């Protein structure tokens, strides 16, 4: 039967396959007598087991239809985590252009009022050396300068040098001290200046003149007078050239030449 199968295959194949089949046929013919000899010496029980037909395939058969898919097996355990790979070489990003600042926004509503702060520490019971110096030396000095040779009224302080000068000299002295020559603008201010004159028993220059226009006395700022206390018949410009004002100890005014020398009283505003 094996030889018949091989002959059938010879008809259905090419020359190369024919040569191969001829070689296999010769091999089968050579092996057959040896198989018959072994059959004589083999016991009956072994003969039955060896009687199975041995199939020798002369050439591979044609590919058959695909078989059914097998059942998936159970998923195996998860493997260990592998080592990390080499780190790539990144390229730094180029910074983008700087945009101009936008316009300022509108102010928001005011916030709520904060809570009051803690009460501060009380003043020290013991005065510092500077405070002691101020109370011991400075305050009595101010009292001496203002109330012994000066006078205060409202926001003005009138202070005299105790010396007599011409009007222009008096203007220069007072200006250097940051003041002006005393220029009363009310009865009370006129009285404060009179109190100084009463102590010194001397006359003093006031800060108003009519140098620009005869008979029109004005303050150093150029403003016209808002208060006056002239003697009877004054100003009269007696002899000509009486362009300045003298205040006598009684508080009355009299026009006099600016070159005369009278007590200098400066007016400070605080």
């Amino acid at each position: 039967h094996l030889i018949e199968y091989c002959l059938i295959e010879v008809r259905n194949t090419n020359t190369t396959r024919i040569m191969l089949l001829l070689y296999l046929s010769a091999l089968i013919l050579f092996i057959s007598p040896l198989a018959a000899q072994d059959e004589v010496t083999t016991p009956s029980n072994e003969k039955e087991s060896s009687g199975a037909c041995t199939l020798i395939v002369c050439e591979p058969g044609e590919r058959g239809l695909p078989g059914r898919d097998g059942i998936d097996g159970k998923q195996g355990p998860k493997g260990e985590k592998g080592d990390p790979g080499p780190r790539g070489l990144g390229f730094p990003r180029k910074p983008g252009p700087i945009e101009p600042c936008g316009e300022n926004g509108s102010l928001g509503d005011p916030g709520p009022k904060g809570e009051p702060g803690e009460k501060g520490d009380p003043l020290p019971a013991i005065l510092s050396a500077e405070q002691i110096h101020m109370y011991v030396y400075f305050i009595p000095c101010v009292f001496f300068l203002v109330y012994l040779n000066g006078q205060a009224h409202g926001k003005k302080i009138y202070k005299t040098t105790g010396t007599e000068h011409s009007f222009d000299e008096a203007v220069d002295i007072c200006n250097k001290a940051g003041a002006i020559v005393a220029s009363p603008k009310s009865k009370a201010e006129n009285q404060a200046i009179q109190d100084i004159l009463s102590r010194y028993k001397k006359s003093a220059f006031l800060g108003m003149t009519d140098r620009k226009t005869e008979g029109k006395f004005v303050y150093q700022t150029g403003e016209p007078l808002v208060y006056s206390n002239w003697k009877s018949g004054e100003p009269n410009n007696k002899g000509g050239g009486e362009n300045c004002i003298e205040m006598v100890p009684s508080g009355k005014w009299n026009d006099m030449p600016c070159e005369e020398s009278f007590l200098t009283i400066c007016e400070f505003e605080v």
Side-chain angles (χ1 to χ4, degrees), residues 50-238:
S50 61
C53 179
T54 301
L55 178 62
I56 299 176
V57 180
C58 298
E59 71 167 329
E62 296 181 0
R63 179 177 296 177
L65 296 175
R68 295 180 62 187
D69 295 338
I71 301 175
D72 295 337
K74 185 178 180 181
Q75 185 177 1
K78 185 177 181 181
E80 297 181 359
K81 185 177 181 180
D83 297 331
R87 186 175 180 180
L89 298 176
F91 294 93
R93 293 188 302 174
K94 184 178 180 181
I98 300 176
E99 297 294 336
C101 297
E103 298 181 357
N104 294 333
S106 58
L107 294 176
D109 297 332
K113 185 177 180 181
E115 298 180 359
E118 298 180 359
K119 186 176 181 180
D121 297 332
L123 293 175
I126 302 176
L127 297 176
S128 65
E130 292 184 9
Q131 291 172 324
I132 293 174
H133 182 272
M134 180 182 69
Y135 283 108
V136 173
Y137 297 99
F138 180 72
I139 294 180
C141 180
V142 171
F143 177 81
F144 175 78
L145 292 175
V146 174
Y147 292 99
L148 293 185
N149 61 346
Q151 194 71 26
H153 176 75
K155 293 183 178 182
K156 293 182 179 179
I157 294 177
Y158 300 97
K159 172 75 171 57
T160 180
T161 61
T163 56
E164 297 178 353
H165 302 277
S166 68
F167 176 79
D168 292 332
E169 291 173 341
V171 170
D172 185 61
I173 291 171
C174 292
N175 287 346
K176 288 181 179 178
I180 61 173
V181 177
S183 305
K185 294 183 178 180
S186 66
K187 184 178 180 179
E189 291 179 1
N190 197 81
Q191 183 63 51
I193 298 170
Q194 182 187 348
D195 292 341
I196 297 174
L197 298 181
S198 298
R199 290 198 296 267
Y200 282 85
K201 296 179 173 56
K202 292 181 179 181
S203 297
F205 272 121
L206 296 181
M208 300 84 79
T209 68
D210 66 348
R211 282 176 168 177
K212 289 186 176 182
T213 303
E214 176 61 36
K216 294 185 66 174
F217 285 86
V218 297
Y219 299 106
Q220 295 180 47
T221 59
E223 300 172 272
L225 300 184
V226 295
Y227 169 80
S228 64
N229 192 30
W230 295 104
K231 285 183 179 181
S232 178
E234 300 293 344
N236 57 13
N237 195 29
K238 184 179 179 180

